Amino acid sequence: MEQRYYQKEFETMPLEEMRKLQSEKLVKQVKHVYDNVPYYRNLMDEKGVKPEDIKGIDDLHLLPFLTKADLRDAYPYGLLAKPLEECVRIQSTSGTTGRRVVAFYTQKDVDLWEDCCARAIIAAGGTNKDVCQVAYGYGLFTGGPGLNGGSHRVGCLTLPMSSGNTERQIQFMTDLSATILCCTPSYAAYIGETLKEMGYGPDDIPLKAGIFGAEPWTEEMRCGIEETLGIKAYDIYGLTETSGPGVSFECEEQTGMHVNEDHFYAEIIDPDTGEVLPEGSKGELVFTSLDKEAFPLLRYRTRDICVLSRKKCSCGRTLIKMSKPMGRTDDMLIIRGVNVFPSQIETVLLNEGYQPNYQIVVDRVNNTDTFEVNVEMTPEQFTDKVSEVLAKEKALANAMKTMLGINPAVHLVAPKTIVRSEGKAVRVIDKRKLV
Amino acid sequence: MAIKQLTVFVPNRQGTLVSITNTLAAHNINIRALSIAETEEFGILRLIVNDEATAERTLAEADYLIKVVDVVGVKIGDEPGKLTAALDVLDKAGINMEYLYAFMARTEKHAYVVLRVEDNAVAENALVNAGFHLVTEADVNKL
């Protein structure tokens, strides 16, 4: 019989029991952090909160937040809660926002993380009969190591491809009949484009599912990838600060990601006031690691804007669901005083029939913001008439103006010319030097 | 009757044009005629070559954005006023022209004019009826 859950007891645990488990873990975790992390102990002392004040999950709101700035201040060992002798691994963020984060793992932390990824693979229909191609970057980036570990736990034949070298990806995918692909959604779309160029249709490859994450993507992009590759595309979410991918994952219902809340407690807060918002509200996602030993972040502000829901799920999991992040509190660009989310640009492109391969370039010239969007054209969209190319640019600029309220200069560019780093497209270049 | 024009998207970056012509030369492609339309941020290169299929394949393999379109070629006597006569024909037939460029035929006392119009067949009929000769693929290959 097909396995539906990796750890059924936790994935389908009734809410009351889950609250009890979370409460027990939180009380222990707060004590562990207070005793071993002077940085957080100081934050608690400043707020006048003692470990004994935290008697259960209902008291979580009393604890201070951690932000990315705290991680930077405490770099590298300031938030470490275990002696280095007990740590076996680090992972790190790409530092694209200029602040590198180094997270530490004990063996138990690695095991827990890999279990979370295994839950995601099984939720995407994975079994030990599958061939799982992991095309996330390996190394410091959490994508490759996380899904690699999860794939082992499920018993899939694991292809540790890492990212890049698309020709080789496709050769292994076809020669070894990969059935599950794990990578960033933009790389999945790129592999799809390349397969199409090579003459492969969705029925010519045995892939059945994809587990895509590590960057924002839209429903439209999901449809495109599902169609080109002939698969079901599942979202996965995570961040280095809490472990990596697998903090939450999609099931066959594809209506949001189940949070592995027996390990990571999720809250939604008002990003301005820090007030905890009720279920169903849109706000900033905050995670508390209930089990992590080496790098146990309490109330870490992710900067991701989303919504939590306890609506009953047809997959049988009782784990709370989070929506796809709708933007970030910090990737929001303010251009000529207007808030711009890259996801809005992506929506316009997909509506207008373009691939979501774009780059936003913002600069400041003579005290005025310049706002350019470079968009890759497909061969079908290219024409020999200058007037038609210019008209397409203008139409896109108008559509963006309608969505955003400000007018960008749109430049159509040749395919594959927008820079990709580790398979992640570089979406925003902000050259403004604002002091 | 139409002849094939190779169209290449050229970003305004130093070295792009030379790398295109290098790629063509490396595959023994001879350029018969060339025109470039330019804007502030990109150019559109239009080429008539001796082997358009190979040219298209090699440029596509080098990741250039390309499109092959049918254009009308018309032979014009190499003397003053002949181009006007041809354009007159098209104007009277109400044919709207997108762009045109001309090149000299080495062997004949003719200039060849490449026309990009909405409807090739209509333009070709109008020109032939007015006594003009069209340029064929065979003519291009002979150059």
Side-chain angles (χ1 to χ4, degrees):
Chain A
M1 199 191 93
E2 201 184 321
Q3 192 180 352
R4 295 198 60 195
Y5 314 104
Y6 182 65
Q7 290 165 315
K8 187 173 183 213
E9 184 195 350
F10 299 106
E11 293 177 61
T12 63
M13 188 175 264
L15 180 58
E16 277 313 302
E17 241 175 279
M18 180 62 79
R19 302 280 298 181
K20 198 161 157 271
L21 180 69
Q22 289 166 332
S23 291
E24 282 166 13
K25 287 182 173 184
L26 179 69
V27 170
K28 264 169 73 184
Q29 185 72 302
V30 171
K31 188 167 176 348
H32 170 56
V33 173
Y34 192 85
D35 290 346
N36 294 291
V37 184
Y39 188 98
Y40 199 78
R41 181 164 60 230
N42 288 341
L43 291 179
M44 283 177 65
D45 288 347
E46 274 170 32
K47 232 187 157 211
V49 190
K50 296 282 161 213
E52 340 28 300
D53 297 334
I54 309 302
K55 297 183 186 71
I57 213 78
D58 291 333
D59 302 321
L60 182 64
H61 68 100
L62 299 171
L63 290 171
F65 291 115
L66 279 172
T67 65
K68 204 146 183 166
D70 291 312
L71 267 60
R72 184 193 50 199
D73 293 347
Y75 176 90
Y77 299 122
L79 291 165
L80 187 62
K82 280 278 182 186
L84 285 176
E85 298 92 286
E86 291 184 43
C87 297
V88 296
R89 171 101 65 88
I90 65 144
Q91 300 287 160
S92 177
T93 60
S94 56
T96 39
T97 47
R99 296 167 186 172
R100 190 173 288 283
V101 170
V102 171
F104 299 84
Y105 302 72
T106 62
Q107 185 56 49
K108 197 182 146 214
D109 292 336
V110 173
D111 291 343
L112 173 161
W113 174 26
E114 292 183 353
D115 281 344
C116 289
C117 291
R119 290 182 187 180
I121 292 171
I122 286 188
T127 70
N128 62 0
K129 294 189 188 67
D130 279 299
V131 176
C132 183
Q133 179 162 1
V134 182
Y136 282 110
Y138 278 64
L140 288 172
F141 179 50
T142 54
L147 270 305
N148 188 87
S151 174
H152 277 224
R153 276 169 198 252
V154 174
C156 302
L157 175 65
T158 310
L159 313 185
M161 302 297 298
S162 196
S163 60
N165 200 338
T166 308
E167 215 166 279
R168 189 177 65 189
Q169 300 278 1
I170 288 172
Q171 193 186 349
F172 275 80
M173 180 183 287
T174 50
D175 291 355
L176 296 177
S177 300
T179 51
I180 298 176
L181 174 65
C182 307
C183 60
T184 59
S186 61
Y187 194 48
Y190 185 76
I191 291 177
E193 282 167 43
T194 312
L195 277 166
K196 205 167 152 188
E197 279 172 24
M198 292 169 71
Y200 288 101
D203 298 332
D204 304 328
I205 45 171
L207 273 190
K208 63 173 189 187
I211 301 172
F212 306 131
E215 65 183 14
W217 53 312
T218 57
E219 276 310 312
E220 291 92 332
M221 199 168 167
R222 187 208 304 264
C223 293
I225 293 171
E226 289 192 333
E227 203 178 297
T228 322
L229 292 174
I231 60 171
K232 276 193 77 153
Y234 298 91
D235 207 349
I236 186 166
Y237 173 92
L239 55 170
T240 311
E241 292 87 333
T242 54
S243 60
V247 169
S248 65
F249 60 95
E250 266 186 340
C251 61
E252 72 258 19
E253 204 179 80
Q254 293 180 308
T255 53
M257 295 174 275
H258 288 288
V259 177
N260 284 315
E261 60 178 317
D262 50 329
H263 300 307
F264 308 104
Y265 187 83
E267 299 170 278
I268 291 288
I269 62 160
D270 179 326
D272 297 324
T273 64
E275 184 199 348
V276 179
L277 300 177
E279 182 201 327
S281 314
K282 186 169 157 181
E284 182 178 348
L285 183 62
V286 173
F287 276 116
T288 294
S289 290
L290 298 173
D291 285 302
K292 290 279 296 286
E293 296 181 327
F295 203 65
L297 300 189
L298 302 179
R299 302 198 87 197
Y300 179 66
R301 294 180 61 158
T302 64
R303 302 274 170 198
D304 281 322
I305 304 285
C306 71
V307 174
L308 292 174
S309 163
R310 285 234 175 251
K311 218 177 127 202
K312 197 168 160 17
C313 184
S314 60
C315 77
R317 285 177 186 79
T318 50
L319 300 171
I320 197 166
K321 276 199 213 171
M322 59 176 270
S323 68
K324 205 181 256 304
M326 298 154 176
R328 287 175 57 84
T329 56
D330 62 356
D331 83 346
M332 181 181 79
L333 290 156
I334 301 181
I335 306 172
R336 293 174 216 153
V338 177
N339 296 347
V340 175
F341 284 98
S343 56
Q344 294 173 300
I345 303 277
E346 192 168 313
T347 303
V348 171
L349 291 177
L350 292 157
N351 288 345
E352 300 290 314
Y354 288 80
Q355 292 290 312
N357 298 325
Y358 67 97
Q359 185 168 60
I360 299 166
V361 183
V362 188
D363 202 349
R364 182 161 284 190
V365 180
N366 296 331
N367 290 320
T368 304
D369 291 334
T370 61
F371 176 24
E372 294 176 35
V373 184
N374 297 321
V375 180
E376 287 185 6
M377 227 180 331
T378 62
E380 289 75 30
Q381 285 157 338
F382 175 48
T383 131
D384 63 316
K385 297 171 191 168
V386 171
S387 56
E388 281 184 15
V389 176
L390 294 176
K392 280 175 203 275
E393 290 182 342
K394 191 145 191 280
L396 260 186
N398 285 340
M400 286 178 195
K401 178 157 197 241
T402 307
M403 168 78 95
L404 306 169
I406 53 167
N407 211 350
V410 172
H411 305 300
L412 290 174
V413 300
K416 305 183 187 175
T417 52
I418 286 173
V419 184
R420 289 165 171 81
S421 99
E422 285 189 355
K424 265 193 189 188
V426 180
R427 297 296 187 208
V428 179
I429 297 181
D430 194 341
K431 299 178 184 168
R432 294 175 294 189
K433 291 192 176 58
L434 308 179
V435 201
Chain B
M1 208 52 182
I3 53 178
K4 302 281 184 201
Q5 172 189 279
L6 197 63
T7 318
V8 192
F9 185 78
V10 188
N12 275 2
R13 249 199 323 267
Q14 197 178 350
T16 313
L17 195 55
V18 72
S19 78
I20 293 172
T21 53
N22 261 339
T23 307
L24 293 176
H27 289 82
N28 237 353
I29 308 286
N30 209 335
I31 299 172
R32 301 305 189 194
L34 174 156
S35 143
I36 189 159
E38 52 164 9
T39 71
E40 260 172 28
E41 6 132 356
F42 65 89
I44 295 181
L45 177 66
R46 294 139 184 171
L47 298 166
I48 308 287
V49 297
N50 63 333
D51 182 352
E52 141 270 327
T54 308
E56 182 184 8
R57 187 165 41 78
T58 49
L59 288 176
E61 276 166 9
D63 278 337
Y64 285 100
L65 197 51
I66 47 177
K67 180 160 247 165
V68 174
V69 294
D70 285 340
V71 290
V72 176
V74 59
K75 298 179 183 179
I76 308 279
D78 187 13
E79 50 186 284
K82 290 292 180 193
L83 178 60
T84 310
L87 296 181
D88 231 25
V89 171
L90 298 174
D91 189 36
K92 291 217 166 78
I95 292 164
N96 196 15
M97 193 139 21
E98 295 288 343
Y99 56 82
L100 67 81
Y101 52 98
F103 59 109
M104 296 296 294
R106 233 180 319 165
T107 49
E108 306 175 49
K109 283 242 181 301
H110 279 117
Y112 287 179
V113 175
V114 176
L115 304 169
R116 179 71 163 99
V117 293
E118 255 342 302
D119 189 336
N120 285 343
V122 174
E124 285 170 346
N125 276 336
L127 290 164
V128 169
N129 290 340
F132 285 91
H133 293 280
L134 299 178
V135 180
T136 63
E137 285 287 347
D139 290 323
V140 172
N141 291 335
K142 266 191 299 187
L143 287 173

mmCIF file of all heavy atoms in Angstrom, chain A residues 197-222:
data_model
loop_
_atom_site.group_PDB
_atom_site.id
_atom_site.type_symbol
_atom_site.label_atom_id
_atom_site.label_comp_id
_atom_site.label_asym_id
_atom_site.label_seq_id
_atom_site.Cartn_x
_atom_site.Cartn_y
_atom_site.Cartn_z
ATOM 1 N N GLU A 197 12.877 22.675 -26.025
ATOM 2 C CA GLU A 197 13.746 22.995 -27.163
ATOM 3 C C GLU A 197 14.355 21.738 -27.759
ATOM 4 O O GLU A 197 14.610 21.654 -28.959
ATOM 5 C CB GLU A 197 14.903 23.905 -26.721
ATOM 6 C CG GLU A 197 14.531 25.368 -26.622
ATOM 7 C CD GLU A 197 15.656 26.184 -25.988
ATOM 8 O OE1 GLU A 197 16.831 25.755 -26.040
ATOM 9 O OE2 GLU A 197 15.342 27.259 -25.434
ATOM 10 N N MET A 198 14.641 20.759 -26.881
ATOM 11 C CA MET A 198 15.265 19.524 -27.355
ATOM 12 C C MET A 198 14.245 18.568 -27.958
ATOM 13 O O MET A 198 14.601 17.482 -28.421
ATOM 14 C CB MET A 198 15.998 18.831 -26.193
ATOM 15 C CG MET A 198 17.224 19.598 -25.713
ATOM 16 S SD MET A 198 17.881 18.934 -24.165
ATOM 17 C CE MET A 198 18.575 17.386 -24.745
ATOM 18 N N GLY A 199 12.974 18.964 -27.920
ATOM 19 C CA GLY A 199 11.939 18.156 -28.560
ATOM 20 C C GLY A 199 11.247 17.173 -27.634
ATOM 21 O O GLY A 199 10.511 16.306 -28.081
ATOM 22 N N TYR A 200 11.494 17.277 -26.299
ATOM 23 C CA TYR A 200 10.805 16.388 -25.367
ATOM 24 C C TYR A 200 9.459 16.987 -24.963
ATOM 25 O O TYR A 200 9.400 18.138 -24.518
ATOM 26 C CB TYR A 200 11.619 16.195 -24.083
ATOM 27 C CG TYR A 200 12.855 15.351 -24.238
ATOM 28 C CD1 TYR A 200 14.114 15.936 -24.340
ATOM 29 C CD2 TYR A 200 12.765 13.962 -24.266
ATOM 30 C CE1 TYR A 200 15.257 15.164 -24.462
ATOM 31 C CE2 TYR A 200 13.897 13.176 -24.385
ATOM 32 C CZ TYR A 200 15.143 13.786 -24.489
ATOM 33 O OH TYR A 200 16.260 13.022 -24.608
ATOM 34 N N GLY A 201 8.398 16.226 -25.095
ATOM 35 C CA GLY A 201 7.088 16.659 -24.613
ATOM 36 C C GLY A 201 6.904 16.139 -23.200
ATOM 37 O O GLY A 201 7.709 15.342 -22.731
ATOM 38 N N PRO A 202 5.822 16.587 -22.518
ATOM 39 C CA PRO A 202 5.586 16.151 -21.133
ATOM 40 C C PRO A 202 5.444 14.635 -20.995
ATOM 41 O O PRO A 202 5.732 14.083 -19.940
ATOM 42 C CB PRO A 202 4.295 16.871 -20.743
ATOM 43 C CG PRO A 202 3.778 17.535 -21.952
ATOM 44 C CD PRO A 202 4.858 17.581 -22.968
ATOM 45 N N ASP A 203 5.021 13.947 -22.049
ATOM 46 C CA ASP A 203 4.832 12.499 -21.939
ATOM 47 C C ASP A 203 6.099 11.707 -22.255
ATOM 48 O O ASP A 203 6.132 10.491 -22.103
ATOM 49 C CB ASP A 203 3.713 12.035 -22.894
ATOM 50 C CG ASP A 203 2.384 12.680 -22.532
ATOM 51 O OD1 ASP A 203 2.206 13.005 -21.334
ATOM 52 O OD2 ASP A 203 1.552 12.870 -23.438
ATOM 53 N N ASP A 204 7.133 12.420 -22.707
ATOM 54 C CA ASP A 204 8.364 11.714 -23.090
ATOM 55 C C ASP A 204 9.308 11.502 -21.918
ATOM 56 O O ASP A 204 10.342 10.846 -22.065
ATOM 57 C CB ASP A 204 9.115 12.498 -24.188
ATOM 58 C CG ASP A 204 8.236 12.745 -25.398
ATOM 59 O OD1 ASP A 204 7.379 11.887 -25.670
ATOM 60 O OD2 ASP A 204 8.386 13.789 -26.049
ATOM 61 N N ILE A 205 9.007 12.101 -20.761
ATOM 62 C CA ILE A 205 9.887 11.934 -19.604
ATOM 63 C C ILE A 205 9.073 11.361 -18.449
ATOM 64 O O ILE A 205 7.892 11.674 -18.308
ATOM 65 C CB ILE A 205 10.534 13.279 -19.179
ATOM 66 C CG1 ILE A 205 9.484 14.398 -19.161
ATOM 67 C CG2 ILE A 205 11.681 13.664 -20.089
ATOM 68 C CD1 ILE A 205 9.966 15.684 -18.564
ATOM 69 N N PRO A 206 9.693 10.494 -17.624
ATOM 70 C CA PRO A 206 8.926 9.805 -16.585
ATOM 71 C C PRO A 206 8.668 10.619 -15.320
ATOM 72 O O PRO A 206 8.029 10.113 -14.407
ATOM 73 C CB PRO A 206 9.796 8.579 -16.264
ATOM 74 C CG PRO A 206 11.164 8.953 -16.680
ATOM 75 C CD PRO A 206 11.065 9.990 -17.750
ATOM 76 N N LEU A 207 9.103 11.879 -15.275
ATOM 77 C CA LEU A 207 8.871 12.686 -14.076
ATOM 78 C C LEU A 207 7.388 12.726 -13.725
ATOM 79 O O LEU A 207 6.552 12.873 -14.605
ATOM 80 C CB LEU A 207 9.313 14.134 -14.320
ATOM 81 C CG LEU A 207 10.742 14.587 -14.083
ATOM 82 C CD1 LEU A 207 10.787 16.093 -14.177
ATOM 83 C CD2 LEU A 207 11.265 14.113 -12.749
ATOM 84 N N LYS A 208 7.070 12.606 -12.426
ATOM 85 C CA LYS A 208 5.665 12.699 -12.014
ATOM 86 C C LYS A 208 5.433 13.826 -11.020
ATOM 87 O O LYS A 208 4.329 14.326 -10.865
ATOM 88 C CB LYS A 208 5.190 11.374 -11.427
ATOM 89 C CG LYS A 208 5.941 10.992 -10.151
ATOM 90 C CD LYS A 208 5.358 9.755 -9.473
ATOM 91 C CE LYS A 208 6.024 9.580 -8.096
ATOM 92 N NZ LYS A 208 5.670 8.339 -7.429
ATOM 93 N N ALA A 209 6.492 14.208 -10.296
ATOM 94 C CA ALA A 209 6.312 15.251 -9.285
ATOM 95 C C ALA A 209 7.560 16.103 -9.160
ATOM 96 O O ALA A 209 8.661 15.653 -9.472
ATOM 97 C CB ALA A 209 5.977 14.624 -7.930
ATOM 98 N N GLY A 210 7.347 17.329 -8.717
ATOM 99 C CA GLY A 210 8.468 18.226 -8.450
ATOM 100 C C GLY A 210 8.278 18.869 -7.092
ATOM 101 O O GLY A 210 7.145 19.152 -6.686
ATOM 102 N N ILE A 211 9.371 19.064 -6.372
ATOM 103 C CA ILE A 211 9.311 19.739 -5.069
ATOM 104 C C ILE A 211 10.173 20.983 -5.190
ATOM 105 O O ILE A 211 11.390 20.904 -5.282
ATOM 106 C CB ILE A 211 9.792 18.798 -3.949
ATOM 107 C CG1 ILE A 211 8.904 17.554 -3.924
ATOM 108 C CG2 ILE A 211 9.773 19.522 -2.615
ATOM 109 C CD1 ILE A 211 9.378 16.472 -2.991
ATOM 110 N N PHE A 212 9.488 22.116 -5.285
ATOM 111 C CA PHE A 212 10.171 23.358 -5.663
ATOM 112 C C PHE A 212 10.040 24.411 -4.566
ATOM 113 O O PHE A 212 8.950 24.642 -4.061
ATOM 114 C CB PHE A 212 9.574 23.896 -6.967
ATOM 115 C CG PHE A 212 9.569 22.893 -8.093
ATOM 116 C CD1 PHE A 212 8.426 22.659 -8.841
ATOM 117 C CD2 PHE A 212 10.716 22.172 -8.387
ATOM 118 C CE1 PHE A 212 8.424 21.736 -9.878
ATOM 119 C CE2 PHE A 212 10.725 21.241 -9.425
ATOM 120 C CZ PHE A 212 9.576 21.026 -10.173
ATOM 121 N N GLY A 213 11.147 25.055 -4.254
ATOM 122 C CA GLY A 213 11.111 26.082 -3.224
ATOM 123 C C GLY A 213 12.343 26.954 -3.273
ATOM 124 O O GLY A 213 13.038 26.997 -4.279
ATOM 125 N N ALA A 214 12.593 27.655 -2.177
ATOM 126 C CA ALA A 214 13.759 28.529 -1.978
ATOM 127 C C ALA A 214 13.631 29.884 -2.665
ATOM 128 O O ALA A 214 14.518 30.707 -2.553
ATOM 129 C CB ALA A 214 15.074 27.868 -2.386
ATOM 130 N N GLU A 215 12.547 30.112 -3.387
ATOM 131 C CA GLU A 215 12.312 31.442 -3.944
ATOM 132 C C GLU A 215 10.822 31.591 -4.216
ATOM 133 O O GLU A 215 10.110 30.596 -4.349
ATOM 134 C CB GLU A 215 13.121 31.652 -5.233
ATOM 135 C CG GLU A 215 12.713 30.744 -6.363
ATOM 136 C CD GLU A 215 13.579 30.935 -7.604
ATOM 137 O OE1 GLU A 215 14.635 31.566 -7.520
ATOM 138 O OE2 GLU A 215 13.157 30.426 -8.666
ATOM 139 N N PRO A 216 10.343 32.831 -4.287
ATOM 140 C CA PRO A 216 8.911 33.021 -4.503
ATOM 141 C C PRO A 216 8.484 32.607 -5.906
ATOM 142 O O PRO A 216 9.235 32.800 -6.854
ATOM 143 C CB PRO A 216 8.713 34.536 -4.324
ATOM 144 C CG PRO A 216 10.024 35.102 -3.941
ATOM 145 C CD PRO A 216 11.071 34.091 -4.167
ATOM 146 N N TRP A 217 7.320 31.996 -6.010
ATOM 147 C CA TRP A 217 6.750 31.676 -7.321
ATOM 148 C C TRP A 217 5.244 31.740 -7.224
ATOM 149 O O TRP A 217 4.673 31.677 -6.150
ATOM 150 C CB TRP A 217 7.257 30.337 -7.858
ATOM 151 C CG TRP A 217 7.115 29.127 -6.972
ATOM 152 C CD1 TRP A 217 7.460 29.032 -5.633
ATOM 153 C CD2 TRP A 217 6.622 27.836 -7.343
ATOM 154 N NE1 TRP A 217 7.223 27.760 -5.183
ATOM 155 C CE2 TRP A 217 6.715 27.003 -6.188
ATOM 156 C CE3 TRP A 217 6.133 27.294 -8.531
ATOM 157 C CZ2 TRP A 217 6.313 25.665 -6.203
ATOM 158 C CZ3 TRP A 217 5.747 25.953 -8.541
ATOM 159 C CH2 TRP A 217 5.832 25.160 -7.387
ATOM 160 N N THR A 218 4.610 31.881 -8.369
ATOM 161 C CA THR A 218 3.161 32.114 -8.367
ATOM 162 C C THR A 218 2.412 30.880 -8.873
ATOM 163 O O THR A 218 2.999 29.941 -9.398
ATOM 164 C CB THR A 218 2.823 33.280 -9.299
ATOM 165 O OG1 THR A 218 3.329 32.960 -10.595
ATOM 166 C CG2 THR A 218 3.456 34.572 -8.827
ATOM 167 N N GLU A 219 1.080 30.922 -8.704
ATOM 168 C CA GLU A 219 0.226 29.839 -9.211
ATOM 169 C C GLU A 219 0.378 29.689 -10.723
ATOM 170 O O GLU A 219 0.382 28.584 -11.255
ATOM 171 C CB GLU A 219 -1.243 30.117 -8.883
ATOM 172 C CG GLU A 219 -1.678 29.684 -7.507
ATOM 173 C CD GLU A 219 -1.309 28.240 -7.155
ATOM 174 O OE1 GLU A 219 -1.563 27.328 -7.963
ATOM 175 O OE2 GLU A 219 -0.748 28.028 -6.068
ATOM 176 N N GLU A 220 0.507 30.832 -11.407
ATOM 177 C CA GLU A 220 0.644 30.793 -12.869
ATOM 178 C C GLU A 220 1.920 30.054 -13.257
ATOM 179 O O GLU A 220 1.935 29.263 -14.194
ATOM 180 C CB GLU A 220 0.685 32.213 -13.445
ATOM 181 C CG GLU A 220 -0.624 32.968 -13.342
ATOM 182 C CD GLU A 220 -0.734 33.791 -12.066
ATOM 183 O OE1 GLU A 220 -0.104 33.416 -11.041
ATOM 184 O OE2 GLU A 220 -1.457 34.804 -12.087
ATOM 185 N N MET A 221 2.986 30.321 -12.487
ATOM 186 C CA MET A 221 4.254 29.657 -12.768
ATOM 187 C C MET A 221 4.103 28.151 -12.512
ATOM 188 O O MET A 221 4.622 27.326 -13.249
ATOM 189 C CB MET A 221 5.328 30.254 -11.867
ATOM 190 C CG MET A 221 6.725 29.994 -12.359
ATOM 191 S SD MET A 221 7.852 31.030 -11.434
ATOM 192 C CE MET A 221 9.401 30.274 -11.886
ATOM 193 N N ARG A 222 3.348 27.796 -11.454
ATOM 194 C CA ARG A 222 3.115 26.391 -11.166
ATOM 195 C C ARG A 222 2.432 25.709 -12.363
ATOM 196 O O ARG A 222 2.843 24.649 -12.808
ATOM 197 C CB ARG A 222 2.244 26.227 -9.919
ATOM 198 C CG ARG A 222 2.126 24.765 -9.511
ATOM 199 C CD ARG A 222 0.850 24.398 -8.777
ATOM 200 N NE ARG A 222 0.530 25.135 -7.592
ATOM 201 C CZ ARG A 222 0.831 24.727 -6.346
ATOM 202 N NH1 ARG A 222 1.498 23.627 -6.150
ATOM 203 N NH2 ARG A 222 0.448 25.445 -5.315
#
